[in-house]
Amino acid sequence: MIPLVDLKAQYETIKIEIQEAVYSVLESQRFIMGDKVEELESKIAQFCNVRHGIGVASGSDALLLSLMSIGISAGDEVITTPYTFFATAGAVSRLGGVPVFVDIDRTYNIDPYMIEDKITSRTKAIIPVHLFGQCADMDIINEIAQRHGLYVIEDAAQAIGARYKGRKAGSMGDLGCLSFFPTKNLGCYGDGGMVLTDNDELAEKIRVLRVHGSNPKYHHSVIGINSRLDAIQAAVLLAKFKYLVSWNMIRRSIAMIYNNYFIKTAIKTPITEPFNDHVFNQYVIALEDRDGLRDRLKENGISSEVYYPIPLHLQECYNWLGYKREDLPESSWASEHTLALPVYPELTWTQQKYIIDTVLK
Ligand SMILES: *Cc1c(COP(=O)(O)O)cnc(C)c1O
């Protein structure tokens, strides 16, 4: 059986380092925040070319805290894509805000040319998602945001290390959100996330908001949440971080090999814009009989996954927004036709060749 991602295989390659890292936290008996978290925050911030990294409990919380820091509240509109993981829009709704969905382009990211039409007097922010590991077209998005006085929050949960015109994912908006969920390109052994920003004021707000708005201790001028990064997770992430760049390179070469074999078939391979360095958190193809291929792969012991089977504009909880399938046709089409194939650094050539042969058959 070939899994979609093989965390056990990865663990085997770094077992000793991970065990030492976790052991040192056990010995310290300091589990919440502390040195390891601070070291990770500065390493990731430096890697992503931003001034601040703020460790939080998950990628979902990174989005929520970012929206809290810019003051999103009841009735505020936030423009985003419906073709993403639920957390992107869920964070907006948790604050009483209203997600406004804009369709995607051929890269599966938000279509920047369709954003401006959706801006109203209540619009406060845009959340582009760097889906599957490729950045959205940030220059156009930032230009629109600037012209209308909107914040930009990058959902970079799937894109740590990705570049857009040389700039790092998470460094181009006012705030960037990372997730360290185990299957992300840099994953911890539980939940974890980080907010990235160059804005000193927003960074300070988020540092306070993640500890219940406490500043100084037991003094609350604002209401925050409990969203801290654990020292054990930070230790695991520090051990894994040194491999991130090479792991991303391997993901990219696996994707290029898939492309070479599929390009002349009826399979629609992922489109990478020339100015993007894609880090392939997922390798996603599209084809007419997606479900048929998925069944055949399963019969042959190959895992695949549908990201995402129901676009957010058609989720039951958003019925009240009144969207129909045809309102966002590209997102709806993608949900019906895309399939993610195994892509992870430990995937061997023998395994990949078997996947390719099975797909082609
Ligand atoms: C994983 C993910 C998140 C949420 O991250 P968690 O750490 O699981 O909370 C948000 N947005 C996108 C696009 C994701 O893929």
Side-chain angles (χ1 to χ4, degrees):
M1 189 77 200
I2 303 177
L4 196 69
V5 49
D6 194 344
L7 293 175
K8 271 194 183 158
Q10 183 182 77
Y11 179 57
E12 286 303 324
T13 68
I14 51 172
K15 208 171 189 164
I16 309 282
E17 289 165 83
I18 295 284
Q19 287 175 351
E20 276 171 6
V22 172
Y23 186 78
S24 79
V25 178
L26 295 181
E27 287 298 303
S28 79
Q29 289 291 302
R30 292 202 48 189
F31 297 115
I32 310 287
M33 312 258 263
D35 299 350
K36 296 269 189 228
V37 172
E38 280 169 28
E39 187 185 340
L40 182 75
E41 288 176 336
S42 70
K43 279 210 168 127
I44 303 271
Q46 198 181 14
F47 174 73
C48 293
N49 295 319
V50 292
R51 288 161 56 82
H52 306 277
I54 305 128
V56 298
S58 68
S60 302
D61 275 5
L63 287 161
L64 184 67
L65 285 160
S66 294
L67 290 162
M68 287 170 80
S69 77
I70 60 167
I72 294 298
S73 61
D76 289 344
E77 293 177 0
V78 177
I79 290 174
T80 191
T81 162
Y83 191 54
T84 176
F85 179 60
F86 184 76
T88 316
V92 174
S93 300
R94 282 288 297 120
L95 299 172
V98 181
V100 174
F101 297 117
V102 166
D103 214 354
I104 54 173
D105 66 15
R106 60 182 198 155
T107 66
Y108 301 123
N109 282 324
I110 192 166
D111 186 336
Y113 297 103
M114 299 182 84
I115 290 175
E116 203 150 16
D117 272 357
K118 301 288 179 81
I119 294 175
T120 73
S121 58
R122 310 184 89 169
T123 310
K124 293 283 155 55
I126 306 171
I127 311 182
V129 179
H130 305 321
L131 202 72
F132 304 143
Q134 171 168 224
C135 291
D137 202 335
M138 291 304 295
D139 277 351
I140 303 172
I141 294 167
N142 280 337
E143 188 273 320
I144 293 168
Q146 225 154 42
R147 208 146 28 77
H148 293 269
L150 308 175
Y151 285 100
V152 174
I153 299 173
E154 298 172 69
D155 183 339
Q158 301 181 7
I160 187 169
R163 284 170 186 273
Y164 168 87
K165 302 182 183 174
R167 285 175 282 158
K168 285 274 172 65
S171 72
M172 297 173 276
D174 296 286
L175 297 143
C177 300
L178 298 177
S179 165
F180 304 126
F181 185 79
T183 63
K184 303 292 158 94
N185 289 25
L186 180 64
C188 60
Y189 290 177
D191 275 309
M194 194 170 285
V195 179
L196 306 171
T197 185
D198 268 331
N199 184 315
D200 298 345
E201 206 177 311
L202 292 178
E204 181 54 24
K205 274 191 191 165
I206 290 165
R207 285 200 184 94
V208 171
L209 285 168
R210 76 174 162 177
V211 289
H212 285 298
S214 161
N215 182 36
K217 209 171 184 185
Y218 303 123
H219 294 254
H220 301 261
S221 57
V222 293
I223 301 165
I225 59 174
N226 171 10
S227 184
R228 300 165 302 207
L229 187 61
D230 293 347
I232 288 182
Q233 302 308 342
V236 168
L237 291 164
L238 282 168
K240 291 175 79 169
F241 176 65
K242 26 184 194 303
Y243 303 105
L244 177 63
V245 169
S246 53
W247 283 340
N248 279 349
M249 277 168 58
I250 300 169
R251 284 173 180 274
R252 200 173 298 140
S253 40
I254 291 171
M256 293 307 111
I257 292 170
Y258 276 137
N259 280 351
N260 286 339
Y261 278 92
F262 297 156
I263 204 95
K264 287 198 191 99
T265 71
I267 293 166
K268 200 170 164 286
T269 53
I271 292 171
T272 307
E273 297 295 359
F275 46 73
N276 271 329
D277 277 340
H278 197 317
V279 292
F280 291 96
N281 178 246
Q282 300 294 347
Y283 180 83
V284 175
I285 57 172
L287 72 167
E288 209 43 56
D289 187 15
R290 183 265 311 271
D291 296 329
L293 176 61
R294 194 167 184 214
D295 291 343
R296 295 295 90 73
L297 290 175
K298 196 173 167 200
E299 285 162 19
N300 286 277
I302 298 165
S303 301
S304 62
E305 189 57 84
V306 174
Y307 296 113
Y308 295 90
I310 307 173
L312 302 188
H313 68 289
L314 300 179
Q315 292 288 346
E316 192 181 339
C317 64
Y318 288 134
N319 276 350
W320 66 280
L321 293 174
Y323 287 94
K324 290 185 299 294
R325 184 197 176 282
E326 298 71 34
D327 293 338
L328 302 164
E330 297 300 326
S331 304
S332 303
W333 187 91
S335 293
E336 292 154 6
H337 294 93
T338 59
L339 191 66
L341 299 179
V343 60
Y344 50 88
E346 299 76 22
L347 188 74
T348 65
W349 167 237
T350 315
Q351 289 174 314
Q352 191 181 9
K353 189 66 170 51
Y354 175 65
I355 297 167
I356 291 165
D357 290 343
T358 311
V359 169
L360 293 178
K361 196 160 68 186

